[in-house]
Amino acid sequence: MRYILALDQGTTSSRAIAFDERGRVAALAQREFAQHFPHPGWVEHDAAEIWATQLAVARECVQKLPSALSGRAQAATEIVAIGITNQRETTVLWDRATGQPVAPAIVWQDRRTTARCEQLRRAGKAAAIQRKTGLVLDAYFSATKLEWLLDNVPGARARAEAGDLAFGTIDSWLIYQLTGGRTHATDPSNAARTMLMNIHTLAWDEELLRLFNIPRAVLPQIVPSSGLLGEADADLLGVPLPIAGVAGDQQAATFGQACFAPGMAKNTYGTGCFMLMNTGGRAVRSHNRLLTTVGWQGPASAGGRRTAYCLEGSVFMAGATVQWLRDGLQLIQSAPEVEALAASVPDTGDVFLVPAFAGLGAPDWDGRARGTLVGLTRGSTRAHIARAALEAIALQSADMFGAMSRDAGLALTELRVDGGASRNDLLMQLQADLLGAPVVRPQVTETTALGAAYLAGLATGVWSGGAEIAAQWAVERRFEPTLTESARRARIARWREAVERARGWAKT
């Protein structure tokens, strides 16, 4: 049996999953790493810790493969290639010579550059940025994060201009470490999230680089999502292994869900919640404040090595909302407990939680919104708050689903789901009810890592094409909506009232 090793570097943990030729999980390892919040609205990671945990789980995963009983090197030889998928937008700046970060990584959730984005918006730059990048001008993306690092880390700008420093999103950081600094690269799906790449030319844009004052010398090379782009050092996993696939986590999940045809959509329930719809080879401009982004570039795209585009909506707080119930409020001891607690009451008692802890994403895009809990009475219990938290995840996704349908000019007939929280049956039923459309959960819900594996496997001949991959996708459970249309609309209208109370709260 041949395997593809997928490195799935997420916001709160690093994972490694080995998939066999049938797309089944053969081995898995996972480690959490620290989250740092040095100031209100700031979120940081230690990039060195990310690399250390990612390497550790990769080694652990290899050891768990059946042939590992006869030695790590032999197990590694059965791994055909490495695929990488990663938390997007998170910004790392490191020393090319030492391979060490020069500052903490600024995480995608970080809001420290909100004022800079507002300054650019007042200067009339938002429309031009959106035309080139497909993105809404927001602190979510990498450009203002990198600009902040260059301006605030002593000596960083001069060193970057001299070519001594390297910038990358997490995929580039991992590739650099895996290859011992020989390869500094990213793929179009990740480059599209920096706000520095023109999604129509798939190249770094000179006008954007000047706008954000980014020296070209600091940037990685943009390479296809599926293809041989480097080789991991032999001393890491026992033998040298080709790195043959890379995509940002949400695009990888879309690929893993076999959403290859225009109009197919998926929603991933992770730390955040991300809905993507394939629009084929056409970059569809959103009129409902969604993002237009690159899905992938690789041989599984229709017509050969062609670029697939997607519409995307982003919810900043999904699984992280349940984490907050656990760690912040201590209403539950573990995340899985939230389902039983929420199911112990028939409804929220008109309680609404707007989890705008890091602002609001699509379609509101309000960086100054903050978390709000409204509708509390003396009869409200922790169960009502738990149910309101699950409803908040589903309601935010319903907002995106509606906007996506309007942009696409069609009613989406189903939503494919994945990610950790997709295993929560109550949440999936609430989602179907609030969408007014079926929610379909596949047998393999590790679709983010699976998408990275598929991209790597296509480049190395493990799979022949999209048709073979699509044939492996199978339904585990289908959730049908049970709410009447009038009840669904009323619930969403009430939710929008709660959202308005959360908007514009932060003043700095």
Side-chain angles (χ1 to χ4, degrees):
M1 180 66 71
R2 296 180 296 172
Y3 302 101
I4 299 289
L5 179 64
L7 305 184
D8 182 0
Q9 205 300 298
T11 307
T12 59
S13 69
S14 296
R15 304 195 307 158
I17 305 179
F19 291 95
D20 66 20
E21 295 170 68
R22 298 181 185 177
R24 300 174 302 189
V25 174
L28 181 152
Q30 178 173 355
R31 292 191 188 184
E32 292 190 0
F33 56 88
Q35 310 290 304
H36 303 281
F37 311 98
H39 302 286
W42 290 31
V43 188
E44 295 179 346
H45 289 160
D46 180 348
E49 184 184 10
I50 285 176
W51 166 238
T53 56
Q54 189 65 76
L55 178 59
V57 295
R59 287 171 167 166
E60 183 182 342
C61 186
V62 169
Q63 285 292 320
K64 288 180 176 179
L65 288 172
S67 58
L69 295 173
S70 55
R72 187 176 77 185
Q74 181 175 340
T77 61
E78 297 176 14
I79 298 172
V80 177
I82 294 173
I84 296 173
T85 185
N86 54 282
Q87 55 167 312
R88 304 171 304 170
E89 297 95 16
T90 294
T91 300
V92 186
L93 188 64
W94 68 91
D95 185 302
R96 287 186 185 275
T98 67
Q100 294 300 306
V102 299
I106 302 180
V107 181
W108 58 272
Q109 298 163 316
D110 190 282
R111 307 305 301 174
R112 76 185 66 181
T113 60
T114 295
R116 171 60 170 148
C117 292
E118 291 171 344
Q119 179 189 48
L120 290 167
R121 193 173 294 111
R122 289 192 300 269
K125 304 297 184 183
I129 289 172
Q130 185 172 23
R131 280 196 301 272
K132 287 174 176 283
T133 68
L135 306 178
V136 174
L137 178 55
D138 191 81
Y140 176 27
F141 306 105
S142 307
T144 57
K145 301 180 193 301
L146 176 56
E147 181 184 41
W148 189 95
L149 286 170
L150 293 175
D151 288 339
N152 288 274
V153 175
R157 183 167 294 282
R159 295 183 66 201
E161 290 171 351
D164 295 335
L165 299 185
F167 150 75
T169 43
I170 295 296
D171 58 311
S172 298
W173 169 245
L174 294 180
I175 292 167
Y176 198 89
Q177 298 299 323
L178 285 165
T179 62
R182 295 185 302 277
T183 303
H184 183 208
T186 189
D187 87 301
S189 74
N190 279 294
R193 314 299 295 194
T194 64
M195 204 177 277
L196 297 171
M197 187 190 80
N198 187 316
I199 62 171
H200 309 288
T201 65
L202 303 186
W204 301 120
D205 187 271
E206 290 295 341
E207 184 180 356
L208 294 173
L209 295 181
R210 288 194 299 271
L211 179 64
F212 294 104
N213 198 17
I214 305 299
R216 178 175 279 274
V218 82
L219 300 173
Q221 178 186 4
I222 301 173
V223 300
S225 310
S226 182
L228 300 177
L229 61 95
E231 186 175 78
D233 285 343
D235 61 349
L236 298 178
L237 296 171
V239 292
L241 289 171
I243 304 168
V246 58
D249 52 8
Q250 304 315 316
Q251 292 97 325
T254 309
F255 201 90
Q257 285 275 33
C259 292
F260 300 144
M264 297 182 73
K266 71 89 201 177
N267 200 20
T268 296
Y269 300 80
T271 301
C273 202
F274 301 89
M275 188 180 297
L276 274 75
M277 183 184 72
N278 188 330
T279 61
R282 187 168 62 99
V284 175
R285 185 172 181 180
S286 173
H287 299 286
N288 292 281
R289 309 197 76 196
L290 298 177
L291 307 178
T292 304
T293 197
V294 176
W296 51 82
Q297 184 188 41
S301 303
R305 191 176 291 279
R306 188 168 65 84
T307 304
Y309 291 92
C310 294
L311 280 171
E312 175 175 336
S314 307
V315 168
F316 296 157
M317 299 289 292
T321 304
V322 177
Q323 275 189 326
W324 176 72
L325 294 182
R326 182 193 68 189
D327 302 335
L329 295 188
Q330 298 182 354
L331 294 186
I332 52 177
Q333 296 300 309
S334 65
E337 292 176 27
V338 72
E339 182 174 4
L341 180 59
S344 68
V345 290
D347 54 49
T348 69
D350 204 34
V351 171
F352 284 84
L353 171 65
V354 183
F357 303 109
L360 288 169
D364 296 286
W365 290 110
D366 185 346
R368 296 191 180 277
R370 289 296 179 265
T372 308
L373 187 61
V374 297
L376 295 173
T377 68
R378 286 290 299 275
S380 301
T381 68
R382 67 189 188 105
H384 293 104
I385 295 172
R387 192 176 183 100
L390 294 186
E391 280 204 3
I393 298 170
L395 284 160
Q396 290 174 102
S397 297
D399 284 344
M400 293 192 299
F401 194 78
M404 203 165 280
S405 296
R406 293 190 295 274
D407 274 335
L410 50 86
L412 303 181
T413 56
E414 69 175 28
L415 183 67
R416 295 185 174 186
V417 297
D418 53 66
S422 71
R423 292 187 284 270
N424 184 318
D425 289 349
L426 175 58
L427 174 59
M428 293 301 97
Q429 185 58 56
L430 289 170
Q431 189 67 86
D433 289 342
L434 292 166
L435 292 180
V439 166
V440 184
R441 186 170 63 199
Q443 289 181 3
V444 177
T445 57
E446 299 289 357
T447 52
T448 301
L450 181 58
Y454 280 151
L455 288 166
L458 284 168
T460 50
V462 175
W463 294 287
S464 60
E468 184 180 0
I469 289 171
Q472 292 185 348
W473 188 90
V475 176
E476 183 266 326
R477 183 169 173 182
R478 187 178 178 92
F479 297 84
E480 297 287 347
T482 58
L483 274 184
T484 65
E485 182 63 14
S486 60
R488 185 182 74 86
R489 289 180 180 274
R491 194 68 181 158
I492 291 174
R494 190 66 165 150
W495 157 252
R496 295 307 306 174
E497 290 183 56
V499 169
E500 287 303 312
R501 284 158 171 78
R503 299 194 64 167
W505 182 261
K507 301 305 179 187
T508 58

